[in-house]
Amino acid sequence: MHFTLFNLYPMSKIFRKVRQSLLKENKFSQYFLYAIGEIVLVVIGILLALQINTWNENKERKNEEEKLLSALIEDFNENKKRIAEAIRKEEDMINMSRSLIGAMQSDFNEVDSDSIRFWVASGAKSWWRAEFVTGTYDAIVNSGKIEIIENDELKRLLSQFTADIDSGFEDHDESMSYLIEMNKISAEVAPAIIHDTQREQLGILANEDFDSSIEKLLNNDAYLGLLISKTWLERTRIGYQQKVQGYIDQIIRICQSELTE
């Protein structure tokens, strides 16, 4: 509820009647004292109305902030799950890629062919990135309500998080370009390196010269060079995503802290 000067109108009618009565009775000294008292009461009423309005506005602002904080917690809890899963898959991918690199740089004849196929399909040919939920923050910014959030550190972290996911993953495109080139090189031996389940689902006949196809790929220096570059870059990507993971944890912690105050 918002109070205005119009709420004082009934009271002003009473004050006017009293003043008129005092004038009729020629009680001028009492009239002036009463007029002063009336002014004081009106000022007090205005100040009280302003204070109540301010209190109501602050309460509405706080309620809206709490809704935004709750929505941010929901979004960033989901982001926490997504980035943890992406990092886990990337780490598995790196381990398998390193095993494949080791096989290519040594006597790969001693390595089980099924292992090589697995390392190629699940390691070298894999690529992961977390897709983040930013709906609440985007809505806050687009609606101009960012100032409703009072915690300056939270606003800074939200801005940093958004900036990093918008422009901070420069290595994504480079890593993907390596993968594209590797897929071009391995395309002619694809029937030999895909999983049996994939071959069955696609109706691909097994390559009779299986070992020869695997050997051809493992002897390809260009493929090895691209694999090494991609694997190294993936380590950088993990480090960067772990940094973003830290932002997520801090954002959730601050939001929860603000709600409990």
Side-chain angles (χ1 to χ4, degrees):
M1 177 180 179
H2 292 278
F3 289 84
T4 66
L5 293 180
F6 293 105
N7 298 100
L8 301 176
Y9 180 71
M11 188 178 295
S12 66
K13 292 176 64 178
I14 297 174
F15 290 154
R16 185 168 60 253
K17 290 180 179 179
V18 174
R19 289 199 309 271
Q20 291 173 349
S21 175
L22 291 173
L23 286 174
K24 288 179 180 180
E25 298 175 6
N26 295 322
K27 297 179 179 180
F28 295 107
S29 60
Q30 294 182 24
Y31 173 83
F32 285 116
L33 288 174
Y34 185 84
I36 293 172
E38 180 182 339
I39 293 172
V40 171
L41 287 175
V42 170
V43 170
I44 292 175
I46 292 173
L47 293 175
L48 181 61
L50 290 174
Q51 184 64 32
I52 293 174
N53 277 340
T54 300
W55 182 84
N56 284 334
E57 289 172 0
N58 288 339
K59 184 177 180 181
E60 291 176 4
R61 180 187 178 97
K62 188 64 178 178
N63 289 338
E64 188 167 6
E65 183 188 23
E66 289 178 354
K67 291 179 181 178
L68 294 178
L69 291 173
S70 296
L72 285 171
I73 289 174
E74 184 176 349
D75 282 2
F76 279 89
N77 275 328
E78 178 61 27
N79 288 334
K80 185 174 182 177
K81 295 176 184 177
R82 293 187 180 191
I83 198 167
E85 180 68 7
I87 290 174
R88 183 188 66 78
K89 289 179 176 179
E90 277 195 89
E91 288 175 339
D92 289 342
M93 173 185 62
I94 289 171
N95 289 333
M96 286 182 277
S97 295
R98 290 178 63 184
S99 296
L100 180 59
I101 292 170
M104 294 179 74
Q105 290 182 324
S106 63
D107 186 1
F108 52 79
N109 291 324
E110 298 180 359
V111 181
D112 180 76
S113 59
D114 286 338
S115 295
I116 293 176
R117 290 166 59 196
F118 182 71
W119 296 337
V120 171
S122 301
K125 294 174 70 67
S126 293
W127 195 88
W128 303 99
R129 181 182 70 182
E131 296 295 335
F132 295 106
V133 178
T134 61
T136 298
Y137 180 71
D138 291 342
I140 291 172
V141 173
N142 293 335
S143 63
K145 294 183 177 181
I146 188 64
E147 293 305 318
I148 291 178
I149 298 177
E150 295 185 357
N151 190 295
D152 291 334
E153 178 64 9
L154 176 58
K155 286 187 284 190
R156 185 191 70 79
L157 287 169
L158 287 168
S159 177
Q160 186 66 53
F161 171 83
T162 305
D164 281 349
I165 65 173
D166 285 345
S167 62
F169 287 97
E170 297 91 349
D171 293 334
H172 284 343
D173 291 339
E174 186 177 358
S175 176
M176 179 59 71
S177 68
Y178 289 145
L179 179 59
I180 292 172
E181 292 302 315
M182 290 166 61
N183 285 339
K184 289 179 181 178
I185 293 173
S186 64
E188 61 179 309
V189 296
I193 60 176
I194 64 174
H195 292 298
D196 290 334
T197 53
Q198 292 175 311
R199 183 182 294 109
E200 291 174 1
Q201 290 174 358
L202 296 173
I204 298 173
L205 298 177
N207 193 329
E208 296 180 358
D209 198 10
F210 175 82
D211 291 334
S212 176
S213 296
I214 291 291
E215 183 176 348
K216 184 176 182 180
L217 179 64
L218 296 184
N219 279 320
N220 192 305
D221 291 336
Y223 190 88
L224 174 60
L226 289 167
L227 177 60
I228 291 173
S229 297
K230 177 175 176 289
T231 304
W232 176 258
L233 193 58
E234 293 302 326
R235 291 302 314 171
T236 303
R237 290 183 62 217
I238 282 184
Y240 194 83
Q241 292 190 78
Q242 287 172 335
K243 175 185 174 183
V244 175
Q245 191 176 39
Y247 290 148
I248 293 173
D249 289 338
Q250 292 181 69
I251 289 169
I252 293 173
R253 177 180 55 78
I254 294 176
C255 287
Q256 291 174 335
S257 176
E258 290 292 305
L259 284 176
T260 57
E261 290 182 356

